[in-house]
């Protein structure tokens, strides 16, 4: 019989397994980090052109997994999507510096400044991947775009010929586009580039049989592009969404614990039982990926007692304080009940480190106060992310620091008027438009002068939540903890802003 893991062993396993998981954008996926929630299956359908998801939900992870033949094979097996085995996958855009497949930031800025049309840029990317002789290196991107502009008939012939050959070979050319929020420092230009990308993607979807784009995109960016390219709504019907349920998050956690390459992970698999070696394209190698049993992936009744071996059973002295299994994801949700797995894993990693430092002899791997500390740290990371993605959010919420939620809509609008927020937002917008710094990205808001509509934009982003059905100056608004804590707003009886 396998001896159970001690609290300290669980704590150390958590720290090892979760190290670097919040840096998914900079760390390449590997077989043992490849976790496949059932809800993400549609994102890998070849004909799901647009895959929507917020920051930290797995867009870059899946984009890079599709580009990796071994990970693609694993996904084909576990998701039972045989078409994934008949792909020729190339990057159409990403974060790799010096990629021969697509223009980097400096080249793209030059193309835009020279008047290149978005469609021409993306056709140049496609034709480069398809091997158009005139676009091979050492041709620069300006020359490639110029060739596309001057040779439309030969370009279309190349696409048609490549499509026919792919159909005969029973393969699909798939171009994967990720990191599109970094296309350009001006959000309006980024929106135009994405609209052009979606136009080309739609033409390929209806005009070819075996050439496809897969575009990983934030929902707000898809919505903005649809305003510029009305036919983009035709892509909404087969769009996929990267969302995480509570059971998905705990399944991800247990997957990480069971896939560490050490004795503690092996014992964890034995204790929980039912783990299967994941598929490996090379049968001569020992399995380096293990798949959790279905109960640990999808069944809250099986997940709860296992997590309560790791964490305190209650978030205090008794059940009235809440159970960690439900308490933790509830306090990491935004106002649309969405949870980023990056926030979830960050909270757990911090909870393990805090317990080790402050409660080393505790009889569980995670102390309940350490879990609260993890939520506070996850809030800091999430606020940093949304302020980077949509800088105007910080300008709108930061003046509310020191207030206690829920807040009446009239109170919020009054604070904004006193600060003259519309003027600040207009000035900030002008600063971004005039800046030549590529690291500054302007993202809105759409209605800086209409403060009630500004509130609605924050609700749509998941930052604010209405507590009342009526919408007037007395309507109460709340900030979920994932934003409230780092922005410094209090709540009666809620998680304090600082630890005890």
């Amino acid at each position: 019989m396998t001896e159970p893991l001690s609290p300290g062993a669980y704590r150390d396993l958590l720290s090892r397994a979760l190290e670097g998981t919040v840096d998914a954008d900079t760390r390449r996926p590997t077989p043992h980090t490849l976790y496949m929630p059932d809800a993400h299956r549609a994102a890998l359908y070849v004909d799901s052109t647009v895959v929507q998801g917020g920051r930290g939900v797995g867009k870059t992870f899946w984009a890079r997994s599709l580009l990796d033949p071994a990970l693609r094979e694993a996904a084909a097996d576990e998701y039972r999507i045989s078409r994934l085995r008949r792909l020729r996958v190339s990057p159409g855009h990403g974060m790799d510096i010096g990629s021969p497949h697509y223009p980097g930031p400096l080249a793209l800025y030059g193309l835009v400044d020279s008047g290149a049309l978005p469609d021409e840029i993306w056709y140049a990317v496609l034709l480069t991947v398809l091997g158009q002789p005139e676009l091979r290196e050492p041709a620069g991107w300006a020359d490639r775009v110029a060739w596309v502009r001057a040779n439309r008939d030969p370009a279309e012939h190349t696409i048609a010929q490549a499509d026919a050959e792919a159909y005969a070979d029973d393969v699909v050319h798939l171009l994967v586009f990720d990191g599109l929020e970094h296309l350009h420092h001006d959000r309006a230009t980024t929106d135009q580039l994405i609209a052009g990308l979606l136009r080309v993607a739609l033409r390929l979807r209806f005009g070819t049989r075996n050439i496809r784009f897969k575009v990983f995109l934030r929902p707000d960016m898809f919505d903005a592009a649809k305003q510029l390219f009305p036919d983009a709504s035709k892509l909404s019907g087969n769009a996929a969404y990267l969302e995480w349920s509570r059971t998905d998050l705990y399944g991800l956690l247990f997957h990480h614990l069971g896939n560490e390459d050490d004795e503690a992970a092996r014992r964890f698999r034995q204790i929980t039982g039912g783990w299967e070696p994941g598929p490996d394209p090379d049968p001569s190698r020992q399995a380096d990926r293990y798949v959790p049993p279905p109960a640990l992936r999808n069944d809250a009744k099986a997940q709860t007692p296992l997590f309560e071996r790791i964490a305190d059973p209650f978030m205090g002295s008794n059940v009235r304080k809440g159970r960690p299994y439900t308490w933790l994801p509830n306090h990491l949700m935004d106002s649309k009940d969405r949870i980023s797995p990056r926030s979830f894993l960050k909270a757990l990693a911090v909870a393990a480190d805090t317990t080790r430092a402050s409660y080393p002899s505790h009889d569980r791997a995670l102390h309940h106060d350490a879990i609260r500390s993890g939520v506070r740290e996850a809030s800091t990371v999430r606020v940093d992310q949304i302020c980077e993605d949509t800088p105007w959010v910080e300008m709108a919420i930061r003046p509310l620091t020191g207030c206690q939620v829920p807040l009446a809509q009239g109170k919020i609008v009054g604070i904004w008027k006193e600060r003259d927020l519309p003027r600040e937002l207009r000035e900030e917008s002008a600063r971004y438009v005039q800046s030549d710094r590529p690291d500054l990205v302007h993202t809105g808001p759409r209605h800086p002068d209409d403060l009630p509509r500004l509130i609605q934009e924050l609700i749509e982003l998941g930052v604010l939540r209405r507590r009342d059905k009526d919408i007037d100056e007395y309507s109460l608004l709340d900030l979920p903890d994932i934003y409230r804590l780092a922005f410094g707003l209090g709540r009666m009886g809620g998680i304090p802003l600082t630890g005890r």
Side-chain angles (χ1 to χ4, degrees):
M1 182 175 178
T2 304
E3 286 289 321
L5 290 168
S6 68
Y10 262 125
R11 202 173 297 138
D12 292 342
L13 177 58
L14 280 162
S15 294
R16 290 193 301 273
L18 302 184
E19 181 183 5
T21 54
V22 297
D23 299 319
D25 288 346
T26 56
R27 295 189 64 174
R28 304 282 174 172
T30 64
H32 82 269
T33 60
L34 182 62
Y35 179 69
M36 290 178 263
D38 292 344
H40 290 193
R41 187 174 190 269
L44 300 194
Y45 292 161
V46 175
D47 288 324
S48 293
T49 303
V50 175
V51 181
Q52 297 187 66
R55 175 79 83 96
V57 299
K59 296 190 302 297
T60 295
F61 184 90
W62 278 122
R64 287 177 170 168
S65 295
L66 281 171
L67 291 164
D68 185 303
L71 300 184
R72 199 164 64 242
E73 174 68 24
D77 186 89
E78 191 165 326
Y79 276 143
R80 302 175 301 283
I81 305 177
S82 61
R83 204 176 180 192
L84 290 175
R85 296 190 173 93
R86 302 193 302 276
L87 298 180
R88 294 173 185 162
V89 187
S90 302
H93 186 268
M95 296 300 293
D96 292 335
I97 295 176
S99 171
H101 296 93
Y102 52 85
L106 296 178
L108 193 55
Y109 299 153
L111 292 173
V112 170
D113 291 343
S114 67
L117 299 176
D119 301 47
E120 295 171 342
I121 295 171
W122 300 121
Y123 273 119
V125 169
L126 170 62
L127 289 162
T128 298
V129 168
L130 295 180
Q132 183 73 39
E134 292 84 354
L135 305 190
R136 291 174 183 161
E137 293 186 287
W141 284 102
D143 293 334
R144 292 172 181 172
V145 170
W147 186 91
V148 170
R149 184 182 301 128
N151 296 274
R152 298 180 187 276
D153 287 344
E156 289 186 347
H157 175 74
T158 295
I159 295 171
Q161 183 177 22
D163 182 44
E165 292 174 354
Y167 179 75
D169 294 339
D170 193 24
V171 298
V172 172
H173 288 289
L174 182 70
L175 274 69
V176 176
F177 297 82
D178 182 47
L180 298 174
E181 62 271 23
H182 301 289
L183 280 173
H184 200 274
H185 63 267
D186 173 44
R187 176 60 189 268
T189 302
T190 294
D191 291 343
Q192 293 283 356
L193 287 167
I194 292 174
L197 173 60
L198 295 179
R199 273 194 297 270
V200 177
L202 188 63
R203 290 171 192 151
L204 294 171
R205 175 161 168 70
F206 288 103
T208 69
R209 291 174 292 187
N210 287 60
I211 302 176
R212 293 289 182 269
F213 283 3
K214 186 171 290 291
V215 183
F216 290 87
L217 198 58
R218 288 202 325 249
D220 63 298
M221 302 184 83
F222 188 38
D223 290 342
K226 285 190 290 189
Q227 305 302 313
L228 303 171
F229 168 45
D231 280 350
S233 59
K234 295 178 180 178
L235 296 173
S236 300
N238 74 328
Y241 298 84
L242 296 178
E243 297 175 332
W244 291 79
S245 67
R246 184 171 64 198
T247 52
D248 289 337
L249 293 168
Y250 282 102
L252 174 66
L253 168 65
F254 299 143
H255 174 91
H256 278 294
L257 297 183
N259 275 281
E260 273 300 287
D261 185 19
D262 57 26
E263 176 62 18
R266 186 188 66 80
R267 287 171 60 192
F268 178 76
R269 294 194 301 269
Q270 289 181 332
I271 291 167
T272 52
W275 292 70
E276 296 290 340
D280 193 320
D282 183 354
S284 66
R285 293 191 307 197
Q286 186 176 1
D288 56 2
R289 178 173 176 270
Y290 294 89
V291 180
L296 289 190
R297 294 166 55 94
N298 301 311
D299 188 351
K301 292 182 179 179
Q303 291 177 340
T304 300
L306 176 57
F307 190 63
E308 289 182 355
R309 293 185 213 170
I310 298 171
D312 282 341
F314 311 126
M315 288 302 297
S317 58
N318 56 60
V319 72
R320 288 180 296 178
K321 298 289 187 179
R323 291 183 177 274
Y325 177 82
T326 53
W327 186 96
L328 177 59
N330 286 348
H331 287 78
L332 294 172
M333 290 179 177
D334 70 6
S335 68
K336 292 182 173 290
D337 297 335
R338 298 173 303 201
I339 311 172
S340 158
R342 198 176 299 178
S343 298
F344 179 76
L345 297 178
K346 176 67 174 180
L348 288 166
V350 170
D353 292 342
T354 303
T355 303
R356 183 182 296 107
S358 302
Y359 311 96
S361 60
H362 192 58
D363 63 356
R364 293 289 199 282
L366 303 179
H367 190 280
H368 58 270
D369 279 337
I371 295 175
R372 288 189 176 87
S373 296
V375 171
R376 280 191 288 266
E377 185 63 28
S379 175
T380 298
V381 173
R382 184 69 190 110
V383 164
D384 287 345
Q385 291 171 345
I386 197 167
C387 291
E388 179 182 337
D389 293 342
T390 48
W392 68 268
V393 170
E394 181 172 21
M395 299 178 66
I397 301 299
R398 194 65 73 185
L400 308 180
T401 297
C403 295
Q404 182 166 296
V405 293
L407 279 167
Q409 177 167 317
K411 173 72 170 177
I412 295 175
V413 170
I415 292 173
W416 287 346
K417 286 181 176 178
E418 183 178 347
R419 185 167 180 130
D420 199 359
L421 180 62
R423 177 186 56 79
E424 291 186 356
L425 290 171
R426 288 193 302 272
E427 290 176 353
E428 188 74 355
S429 177
R431 186 175 73 86
Y432 279 101
V433 170
Q434 295 166 6
S435 173
D436 59 358
R437 286 180 54 192
D439 58 322
L440 296 178
V441 182
H442 174 55
T443 58
R446 295 188 295 271
H447 308 289
D449 295 307
D450 189 334
L451 296 182
R453 293 181 76 177
L454 187 65
I455 285 176
Q456 187 58 38
E457 287 191 60
L458 290 166
I459 291 172
E460 291 170 1
L461 284 172
V463 177
L464 288 178
R465 174 191 291 121
R466 288 199 183 276
R467 296 278 293 267
D468 305 318
K469 293 182 180 179
D470 296 331
I471 301 176
D472 55 32
E473 63 177 316
Y474 303 106
S475 174
L476 293 178
L477 292 153
D478 203 355
L479 256 77
D481 283 346
I482 192 64
Y483 295 117
R484 175 186 70 83
L485 293 166
F487 275 125
L489 282 79
R491 174 183 284 119
M492 185 69 70
I495 303 174
L497 299 179
T498 58
R500 296 178 186 175

